[in-house]
Structure formats: C-alpha cells, structure tokens
Amino acid sequence: MVVAAIVLVCAAASVSPAARPIRGLSLDLLTALRWEMFGHGQDPAASPAVVVAIDEESLRTAPFMDAPMLTWTGEIGRVLSATLEGGAKVAGFDMVIPKSIEQSEIPFGEGTLGEKVRGFDRDFLRALAGAATNGKVVLGEILGGNQPVRPSPGQRVAVRQQQNIRPLNVHVDSDDIVRRLPLDFTVNGTTVPSMAVELASRALGAAPEFDERGRLTLAGYRVPGRVPNTMTLNFEGGADDIPTFSFADLRACAVKNDKDYFRRWFAGKVVIFGSVLDIEDRRQTSKRFATGIEGARVPRCAGESTPVTAGFRISTIAGVYIHATAVNNLISRNAVVEPGPLVRFLISALFAALAAVAAWRFRPLSAAMAWMAVIGASIAGATIAFNHALALPIAEPFLASLFALAATIGFRFVVADKDRRLLQKSFALYLAPHVINRMLSSNKLPELGGETRNVTVFFSDIEGFSLIAEKMSPDNLMELMNEYLSAMTDVIERHGGYVDKYIGDSIVAVFGAPADDPDHAANAARAALDCCTQLTELNASSALFQECKLAQRIGINSGEALVGNFGSRRRFNYSVMSDAVNLASRLEGANKFYGTTVIASETTVALTGEAFAWRELDAIRVKGRTQALKIYQLLALSAELTSAQATLIANYADGLAQWRAREFDRAAQCFGRSADIDRPASLFAARARELAQNPPGEDWDPIRTLQEK
C-alpha cells in the first residue's frame, strides 16, 4: 500500500500544473537525441519549403549596403517574380514592411520626400498584384491588441486586402520556448488560417477544414495537436535542413536573368522571405539543443557577393524557420503526435512503479543502477519513437521515477527497515552477515540444523600465551587481546572467512561457509600470510605490543564439514563441526614441534593451486587419528618467493627423499645445509644422524607420531 501510494503521488505530481515548466523539455531533448542518433530524416533538397534570407551578406552587398529596408522593395519584387516564374507554388513573407518611402513626410526641397519618390514602390506592388491574382503570394501581419503590425496600405491593396494576408504569430510555452504554432486566428470576427497553414494549403491545392473543436484537416491529413488550435512542430536538427538562399545572391541572379537556376531550385517549392539576422526575430524552440551554424549553403547562382556565415552555434533560430518547419510538417504529414494527460500519467506511473519496486526490493545502490538502466533504455526507445514523430514523455517519467526511488528509499530507511537494521546491527556481533541476511530475507528465526559442505578451517593460537597472561594485568591483557583479535578478524573477513568462535587467544574461522566460496582454500592461505604480516606490523607499531611481542601459530585444513546452527533448542550458535576442525587444531599445535608458523594439510595444498610456495615438512600421525597425512609449511606467495627460500625448499626436499629411502647419512648432509637457520631441517638432521648410527629394523616407518594436541 505504501509503495502504491508513493507511485500514485509521484506520477500525479509529474503531470500536474506545477510540473508544466519541465513538460516541454521532453520535446527539446528528443529533438537533440534524434539528431545525434539519426541525423537528417530526409534529404534537405526534398524540403517542400525554402527560405530566401535577408542575411548579413545582403546587408553588406551593393546596392543594399547602408540602405534602409524601405528602399529594397523594388529588388524584393524582382526576386519574388523570379522565384514564381521559376515554378514556385506560393511565396510567403515572414517579415512586415509597414511603411512605404512614398509615405514619407520628411521635407525635401519645396515638398516632401514622399512626393519626390512617388512611384518608387511601383515595381514591388506590380509583382505583388500579379502574384496575388493567381493566389501565389501571402503577406504577413503580426496581431497584437488594437495595434497590429500590418503591411503598408499599398501592399494591402496590391494583394487584395485580407484575402492574401495571414498572421505570423507563434505559440510560446510558459518557459518562453516555441514548440507549437497556432493553426488559425480570429481577425475582425472572421477565422483565418495562420501563415504556415495558408501556404501549405495553397501548395497542396486543398482548403483547410476546421471542426467545432478547432482541429484541422488538410488534404485528408488530421493535424495532431495536444494544445487546442495548435500543431506541435517537428524540427529537424542542424542548420541545413531547410534550403536557404541569400537574398543578395538571388537578386544578382535575377538581374542576369538566369531562369534555369530559378527553375532548378524553386520549381514546386513554397518560398518564404524572412530575416535570419542575429538581431531580428530570433526564438528559442524545441530545437534549441540541436541547432547549427546558420547560413546559405545551397549552390550559388552569382559570384558577385561574398557569403557570410556565423562563426558559432547559438540556441535560437530565425523566426522564418519556424514557419518553414510548419509548412514542411503539414505537407509531409509528420507533425509531432503528443500523448494526452491520461497516457502521460500512466507512463509516469509505470516508471514510478518500477523505481519504487526496485527501491523496495534491492539495496539503494543496486536500485539506483537498475533505475538508471531503465531510464537509459526508455530514452533510447523514446528517441526511436520520435524518429516516427511520436513524442513519448521522458521528463515526466524521469521525475516521477526519481521521486519514487528517493521516497521509497527514504521510507525504508526511516520506517520499514528500522527494525531490520536494529536486528542486523545487534546480531552482527554474534552471527555471520550471510546468516543474518538469510534470516531477514526469509522472515524466520534461526533453527537448529545444518548442511554438509566442503570448507577450509583456519585455526590460530598465540605462542606462549599462558606466560604472557601471567605477566600482565587483566586490563592490559584484555586491551592487548582485543587489538590482536580485531586485527586478525579484519584480515580473515577481508578474505571471505567467517570467524566461528574465539577460544581464549585462539581463533577458529571457516572459509566456504556460510557463503559459498569455490576458492576457500586459497583464501584461507592468503589470510594466513596476511595475518602474519599484520602481526609483524602490530609488534612494530602498536604501543600495546611494545612490552610484549606476540607470535602466532596457524593450522589450516580442508574437508567436508557440517555447518549450521548447533546447540540447545533455546540457545545455539552458527558453527562448523567435523574431523576437519579437529585436524586443523592439531596442525596448529604441530607448529610448536617444528618451530614453524603456518602448517596446512595436503588436502588444502592440493586445492590452492600453484599460487603459493609450500614446503613439505613431514608425514605425521596426530593424536586421536590412525591415518597418516603429509603436512606442508606455507612460506610465501609463489610470485614473492625469495632465492634463499627456494634453496631452503630444494635442500629440504632432497633430505626428505633420502630420509624416506633410508639413506640416513645422505639425508643428514642435505638437512645439514640449512640446519643452522631452519628448525625443521635441524630436527631432521639430528634424527638422520641418530638413525645412521643406529639403523632401524625392516619394519621402520618414516612417519612421525605427534602425541601433543
């Protein structure tokens, strides 16, 4: 119930009005991701719309250099006529020239400037009138309160007033980003299509049809739109998705009457005139993370002007590209489809549920990794869907799942896992972590019983502990032992061992239980070497060890053992029980006789592989066992074996072979090479010399029996 409540609250919050500012971010991210993954969806040359750009090149080229836009009208008319004669279906203006120089009342001589230049716009107006006759030109206006920005009176008359004038206004989201375009407007009580809808309908030869809810159908295409009376724009990435021509270059082309160029590039196109200057009519759109360096990149007609391209990418685009994109979307039928509120809520709820379940079932880090994997996969899937114009939400599911993940982890930490953590912390001092986790996962208390496993038993003891205890006060002895046992336990657990019990100064540990460990023998051997190293460091650096240097003995044995909960029905311990444990204890005691530190059974040595340097010490029988076994001394890791240790092993092996072959004189010589520095070699050398002087009978057994535990 708690998880379900978290899911519903987080999903509802992600689609609530409070989250509206981040809602459009999904479109922005998907546009950028699609651009990075797939590049252009179509060849830019196939774009239904093209742009004639009033650009920096135009401003720097004669005859426009330093001339106000009012004086450009004749040349604009020239280029307009050339594009339409080249076969353009329709031309639109994403710019408004609200005044005519002929209307100027600035005094000039005995009259006004307007009177002196009467007829200046004649060519432009004729071009407009000719195009309007065939319905091939649409001028733009900007609606706003009682003072709309409209073309000059002469232009309005030339294009037959409102018949060929359409609004250029765009729809701005709450974060001031343009992601949608209005489909129609009400002008003087009459519903008129937007500029983009008008241009697309004329290019398709089909009148736009609006139903009572404001939804548009154009040439059989139902235009999708989540926000009423708008279409969601499907921007391509980069800056060359819509062919752009510099006005200066086209004017030079028209002057030299290159009709082939205009037919080649403008036949069947929707032409939109507009400014692409950095200081005019620039907008942030859902393309803001996927913009490019704008400029005219199509093959040029004339070489009379020098192209000027921006030196860096900015997040805004010229307004003319918004209308050109809308025209392309309407003609190509690929406007973005956005799911409604219910679908967005269900998607957010799904991701919130996945995050909450992961947080409830797994550890926080594992849940976070799983959440990131799901989010990554969902973003990839949403990007693929967006490549087919379906905009699945990613911001809302991301936030909903993130909040659900955090809320569920927080609930577990504060409420649900409080008792679990207390129990885990309390039992951690008495039980193995794996036993505690298994108990908590099963929601059952430990029970008597066990299972047979192949394990390695580690048994250690402090040399001469009784004498040490006699010399120290109880408090000092307790501090010494606590530091020693803590250090050794850390080493054992670092290598995967479980400390079964402490018996005075002894440590009994198990490798391979309760957690499975296929390398239990090797890990036990590594732990033994590290325990020796750790004790050396304690003797050298710890203040408690300065008055009393410690030495330890370690026995290691591998074999099958019964592991589990042993004891009475009211009180029991997780432990290990078998002959393998007893033998490990006997091997630890054998160190006292041989003067060594670590002795292991041949079973353990066989399981460790070649990573360790072992020396076969002897074949012995221990108290309580009739079966003989070979024992080995652990000297070092194979990679760290010194030449002196290697020589010691070789001399000892030669002596042991001669000993077992009853060649006692030769055995004494071999052992004697190292007897001065090696206690086991010294013992064998003395035994060999004794038997050389007093040869044993034929029933002699080269196996030593150790009576001490």
Side-chain angles (χ1 to χ4, degrees):
M1 291 297 293
V2 174
V3 172
I6 290 175
V7 169
L8 292 176
V9 170
C10 292
S14 70
V15 297
S16 67
R20 186 174 294 126
I22 59 93
R23 192 166 298 153
L25 187 61
S26 294
L27 276 174
D28 308 346
L29 294 174
L30 287 171
T31 301
L33 290 170
R34 181 181 63 183
W35 168 243
E36 294 295 333
M37 289 180 62
F38 300 105
H40 281 305
Q42 64 177 10
D43 182 3
S47 170
V50 297
V51 169
V52 176
I54 307 298
D55 56 0
E56 195 68 32
E57 176 185 345
S58 302
L59 295 182
R60 298 183 185 184
T61 304
F64 309 112
M65 185 183 299
D66 299 326
M69 183 69 70
L70 294 178
T71 63
W72 294 29
T73 54
E75 300 308 318
I76 293 174
R78 186 198 298 269
V79 174
L80 171 63
S81 298
T83 58
L84 294 177
E85 290 173 4
K89 290 185 175 181
V90 63
F93 282 80
D94 178 45
M95 60 183 189
V96 181
I97 305 177
K99 300 292 183 182
S100 169
I101 195 172
E102 296 182 28
Q103 297 174 280
S104 176
E105 297 181 358
I106 296 177
F108 188 78
E110 296 180 356
T112 63
L113 178 61
E115 294 173 349
K116 300 298 183 180
V117 294
R118 192 73 66 197
F120 185 87
D121 289 340
R122 185 177 298 114
D123 292 341
F124 180 46
L125 298 178
R126 285 177 176 173
L128 290 178
T133 301
N134 299 317
K136 289 194 172 186
V137 68
V138 182
L139 297 183
E141 65 177 351
I142 302 174
L143 303 180
N146 297 322
Q147 296 294 328
V149 180
R150 310 186 68 191
S152 66
Q155 296 174 48
R156 295 201 298 270
V157 172
V159 298
R160 303 182 181 185
Q161 297 295 343
Q162 206 62 38
Q163 181 178 344
N164 291 297
I165 299 176
R166 293 293 180 264
L168 294 169
N169 300 64
V170 297
H171 181 280
V172 180
D173 285 349
S174 59
D175 55 358
D176 204 31
I177 306 295
V178 176
R179 301 183 179 93
R180 299 167 182 83
L181 197 69
L183 298 175
D184 62 35
F185 298 87
T186 300
V187 179
N188 297 327
T190 303
T191 300
V192 296
S194 64
M195 170 65 80
V197 173
E198 185 65 34
L199 292 176
S201 67
R202 295 192 185 191
L204 293 170
E209 301 175 7
F210 294 93
D211 62 15
E212 66 281 357
R213 298 175 58 184
R215 293 178 298 187
L216 170 65
T217 300
L218 183 62
Y221 172 54
R222 172 62 66 85
V223 180
R226 183 175 62 81
V227 177
N229 194 37
T230 67
M231 61 176 288
T232 304
L233 297 168
N234 191 355
F235 286 99
E236 292 275 359
D240 57 351
D241 54 308
I242 296 175
T244 302
F245 300 83
S246 174
F247 175 74
D249 183 61
L250 292 184
R251 181 262 176 188
C253 192
V255 169
K256 72 176 186 179
N257 200 27
D258 189 347
K259 295 183 179 181
D260 288 339
Y261 182 86
F262 283 98
R263 278 195 292 267
R264 185 164 61 252
W265 289 102
F266 293 93
K269 300 293 186 180
V270 175
V271 182
I272 306 179
F273 289 75
S275 169
V276 297
L277 299 173
D278 289 343
I279 58 174
E280 294 183 9
D281 187 28
R282 300 198 68 85
R283 299 277 191 168
Q284 279 201 329
T285 66
S286 51
K287 187 181 178 177
R288 57 184 170 142
F289 301 134
T291 57
I293 299 177
E294 294 178 355
R297 293 184 173 83
V298 294
R300 300 172 64 79
C301 175
E304 299 178 9
S305 57
T306 303
V308 179
T309 303
F312 54 89
R313 184 175 68 88
I314 56 179
S315 61
T316 60
I317 65 172
V320 65
Y321 291 117
I322 297 175
H323 298 284
T325 297
V327 170
N328 282 351
N329 294 166
L330 291 169
I331 294 177
S332 301
R333 301 188 173 194
N334 63 353
V336 171
V337 178
E338 295 182 275
L342 178 59
V343 175
R344 295 201 313 276
F345 171 78
L346 293 176
I347 293 175
S348 296
L350 172 62
F351 280 85
L354 292 174
V357 170
W360 188 261
R361 294 182 62 86
F362 306 130
R363 294 179 180 271
L365 181 59
S366 300
M369 296 295 290
W371 171 76
M372 287 190 287
V374 171
I375 289 297
S378 66
I379 290 176
T383 304
I384 294 173
F386 193 63
N387 199 40
H388 296 85
L390 174 59
L392 296 175
I394 56 176
E396 295 99 317
F398 174 84
L399 287 180
S401 59
L402 177 61
F403 291 152
L405 181 75
T408 306
I409 292 175
F411 178 81
R412 282 185 58 183
F413 183 81
V414 175
V415 181
D417 289 355
K418 183 178 179 181
D419 294 338
R420 180 188 180 99
R421 289 196 306 275
L422 179 61
L423 185 65
Q424 195 167 21
K425 186 176 180 180
S426 300
F427 275 90
L429 300 174
Y430 307 101
L431 295 177
H434 291 83
V435 176
I436 300 172
N437 292 334
R438 188 164 57 194
M439 177 181 68
L440 294 174
S441 298
S442 64
N443 291 320
K444 294 181 180 179
L445 291 175
E447 298 176 353
L448 288 173
E451 59 179 331
T452 300
R453 285 201 192 178
N454 197 290
V455 298
T456 296
V457 181
F458 176 106
F459 200 103
S460 73
D461 197 1
I462 293 178
E463 182 179 331
F465 179 72
S466 297
L467 294 176
I468 295 173
E470 288 179 2
K471 297 177 182 179
M472 299 184 71
S473 67
D475 290 342
N476 290 340
L477 181 62
M478 181 184 67
E479 289 186 40
L480 179 71
M481 290 309 301
N482 284 344
E483 183 164 353
Y484 165 76
L485 294 174
S486 296
M488 297 304 110
T489 300
D490 289 344
V491 172
I492 292 169
E493 291 183 345
R494 187 166 65 243
H495 289 282
Y498 159 60
V499 175
D500 178 4
K501 61 178 71 72
Y502 302 107
I503 307 173
D505 61 310
S506 301
I507 301 174
V508 181
V510 184
F511 291 79
D516 291 331
D517 182 5
D519 298 322
H520 53 84
N523 285 329
R526 291 188 183 92
L529 290 174
D530 286 352
C531 281
C532 295
T533 301
Q534 184 67 38
L535 183 56
T536 301
E537 293 178 0
L538 287 174
N539 283 328
S541 60
S542 175
L544 291 173
F545 287 71
Q546 297 308 305
E547 296 181 2
C548 182
K549 305 292 185 182
L550 298 185
Q552 63 183 349
R553 297 188 290 256
I554 300 173
I556 307 174
N557 181 45
S558 301
E560 287 191 346
L562 187 65
V563 294
N565 297 313
F566 304 104
S568 70
R569 292 183 178 85
R570 291 192 305 106
R571 185 172 180 179
F572 47 81
N573 293 321
Y574 185 88
S575 185
V576 58
M577 184 182 299
S578 79
D579 182 58
V581 181
N582 298 329
L583 183 55
S585 174
R586 299 293 188 270
L587 295 179
E588 179 275 320
N591 284 291
K592 183 177 181 180
F593 176 80
Y594 289 98
T596 52
T597 301
V598 183
I599 291 181
S601 66
E602 56 187 318
T603 307
T604 298
V605 174
L607 292 173
T608 57
E610 299 179 356
F612 301 90
W614 299 95
R615 173 171 69 163
E616 183 182 350
L617 279 178
D618 205 349
I620 65 171
R621 290 188 186 92
V622 297
K623 188 174 182 178
R625 289 172 60 99
T626 58
Q627 185 178 357
L629 76 153
K630 292 181 179 180
I631 60 173
Y632 293 77
Q633 179 191 8
L634 177 59
L635 294 177
L637 292 171
S638 296
E640 299 175 1
L641 186 69
T642 65
S643 58
Q645 289 174 320
T647 301
L648 183 69
I649 293 174
N651 291 336
Y652 196 91
D654 291 342
L656 201 59
Q658 298 297 336
W659 167 267
R660 290 171 178 168
R662 300 174 63 97
E663 298 290 342
F664 300 117
D665 287 330
R666 293 180 182 177
Q669 293 176 5
C670 294
F671 288 125
R673 298 170 191 164
S674 307
D676 293 340
I677 59 173
D678 183 45
R679 171 74 183 276
S682 176
L683 290 173
F684 260 106
R687 292 170 64 192
R689 285 192 293 268
E690 180 182 347
L691 292 180
Q693 295 176 1
N694 301 292
E698 293 298 327
D699 59 347
W700 175 75
D701 186 1
I703 297 173
R704 181 184 294 275
T705 300
L706 298 180
Q707 297 298 329
E708 294 184 3
K709 291 187 178 180

